[in-house]
Amino acid sequence: MSQYIISTANLTSYYVTTYLGTPIFVLGVIGEFLNIIVFLSLKTFRLNSCAFYLTIMAMASIGYLFTGLLTFIMMYGYNTDWKKQSRFYCIVRDGFTHICMLIAFSCLCLATIDQFLATCSYPRWQQLCNINLARRLCFAFIILWFLYGISFFISYDLVIDISTGNSYCRVTNEIFQQYLKTWHVLIFLGILPLSITVIFGFLAYRNVQNLSYRTLPLVRRRLDQQLTVMVLTQVVFSVFAITPYAVINAIILDPYITQDRVANAISRSAKMLSIILLYSCFASSFYIYICASERFRHQLVFVLCKMPLQRWRRRNVIIDLAIS
């Protein structure tokens, strides 16, 4: 019976990784690229601090999906571990994966805080929502997380088992291994981003209820409402996507889980599903924005269809004038 449970759990991990991970990766990369195109094509977004955070988040999410999810799919879905084939990839992969994840989390938190400030009734707080400050904050966090990622680069290595001759990519520093299981996973990837986004998301939601009654320009008011809806919807989805990952990692800290073969197989299968859900948090923003904001759908159509058509028409007019 126990062997049946273990084999079922392993088979479930395979199907979850292959049949959920692959479409999440493909759709996520396409969606994040479309986010970048829309945010960089329209001036209203290029000059907005919240949209800038979402743009950097989309870029970091693409890096996270390529370095993290693609390797994860190949490893557990197709039994091809690139980390075992290259010592360089073993050393840098996990570092860049966590750097991209932390940058994306930071941008989501900053976007949520930005929307709280943008929807406040205090003009001094609204002044903090400016593109120059957003660029400085993003640059500071990128530098911070790259410095933090050095600890990953010096802790991972390709180790060869002398008895079997097989190579394994693993953490060689036991202290850092314990830090990863507790502080890094539970705090930086769980409690901290969840707390910031939920608290400031709730405060922004309260502010936006009275936003339409304030003496703000119509364009500014509509943009604030649009971005607030997009960010808050992203926050709600992120809570449901991140919470299982944090909970599962907290549960498997119990030594009984690793000692019991059945419990270990079930927890490993549950962790696989929670990891896929975590990846979906960074692959779903475009589709969340499409569903949450009608204005974003119109902006997408304008950027992908109307803008190229307008450029083509202007080009033909210039050519006709040059010929005549």
Side-chain angles (χ1 to χ4, degrees), residues 156-221:
Y156 277 86
D157 202 355
L158 195 63
V159 180
I160 298 177
D161 190 337
I162 299 177
S163 60
T164 61
N166 296 326
S167 57
Y168 301 94
C169 182
R170 61 180 57 173
V171 178
T172 57
N173 188 326
E174 291 297 328
I175 297 177
F176 186 71
Q177 177 72 22
Q178 294 301 319
Y179 168 79
L180 281 180
K181 292 180 179 179
T182 53
W183 288 94
H184 179 76
V185 172
L186 297 181
I187 303 300
F188 288 109
L189 304 184
I191 296 175
L192 193 59
L194 284 174
S195 300
I196 294 175
T197 53
V198 169
I199 291 172
F200 285 95
F202 174 73
L203 294 175
Y205 174 78
R206 287 184 58 188
N207 290 340
V208 82
Q209 301 301 309
N210 300 321
L211 186 64
S212 59
Y213 301 101
R214 297 178 192 159
T215 57
L216 291 175
L218 182 61
V219 175
R220 165 73 184 279
R221 191 165 65 233

Side-chain angles (χ1 to χ4, degrees), residues 24-237:
I24 287 175
F25 172 76
V26 174
L27 294 175
V29 171
I30 294 173
E32 297 307 323
F33 269 116
L34 290 175
N35 275 340
I36 295 172
I37 292 173
V38 173
F39 289 139
L40 294 181
S41 298
L42 299 176
K43 187 177 180 180
T44 54
F45 285 137
R46 290 199 304 269
L47 300 179
N48 184 273
S49 54
C50 182
F52 181 78
Y53 294 134
L54 297 181
T55 304
I56 301 299
M57 179 182 170
M59 295 178 181
S61 296
I62 291 174
Y64 178 57
L65 292 174
F66 270 104
T67 58
L69 181 55
L70 183 58
T71 304
F72 187 79
I73 293 171
M74 297 303 297
M75 185 188 309
Y76 295 101
Y78 300 96
N79 200 27
T80 302
D81 192 348
W82 292 334
K83 296 191 293 182
K84 292 182 179 181
Q85 300 173 2
S86 170
R87 183 170 181 265
F88 174 79
Y89 191 73
C90 167
I91 293 174
V92 304
R93 182 263 179 182
D94 282 271
F96 276 108
T97 298
H98 286 277
I99 288 171
C100 292
M101 188 193 311
L102 291 169
I103 291 174
F105 270 143
S106 300
C107 289
L108 179 60
C109 293
L110 289 172
T112 311
I113 296 172
D114 181 273
Q115 282 308 288
F116 161 68
L117 296 173
T119 55
C120 280
S121 58
Y122 302 103
R124 183 175 298 179
W125 289 14
Q126 294 177 14
Q127 292 174 2
L128 295 175
C129 304
N130 63 82
I131 191 65
N132 293 326
L133 179 60
R135 289 169 179 167
R136 295 191 189 100
L137 287 174
C138 283
F139 180 77
F141 274 104
I142 289 172
I143 296 298
L144 172 65
W145 294 131
F146 266 97
L147 293 175
Y148 178 75
I150 294 175
S151 58
F152 288 85
F153 299 144
I154 63 178
S155 299
Y156 277 86
D157 202 355
L158 195 63
V159 180
I160 298 177
D161 190 337
I162 299 177
S163 60
T164 61
N166 296 326
S167 57
Y168 301 94
C169 182
R170 61 180 57 173
V171 178
T172 57
N173 188 326
E174 291 297 328
I175 297 177
F176 186 71
Q177 177 72 22
Q178 294 301 319
Y179 168 79
L180 281 180
K181 292 180 179 179
T182 53
W183 288 94
H184 179 76
V185 172
L186 297 181
I187 303 300
F188 288 109
L189 304 184
I191 296 175
L192 193 59
L194 284 174
S195 300
I196 294 175
T197 53
V198 169
I199 291 172
F200 285 95
F202 174 73
L203 294 175
Y205 174 78
R206 287 184 58 188
N207 290 340
V208 82
Q209 301 301 309
N210 300 321
L211 186 64
S212 59
Y213 301 101
R214 297 178 192 159
T215 57
L216 291 175
L218 182 61
V219 175
R220 165 73 184 279
R221 191 165 65 233
R222 286 179 177 175
L223 181 61
D224 284 337
Q225 290 175 331
Q226 175 193 3
L227 289 173
T228 302
V229 170
M230 290 165 55
V231 171
L232 292 185
T233 310
Q234 176 76 51
V235 167
V236 172
F237 182 83

Side-chain angles (χ1 to χ4, degrees), residues 254-272:
D254 186 349
Y256 168 78
I257 299 295
T258 57
Q259 295 172 3
D260 186 270
R261 292 177 64 245
V262 176
N264 188 36
I266 295 174
S267 65
R268 188 169 61 248
S269 179
K271 185 176 180 180
M272 290 287 186

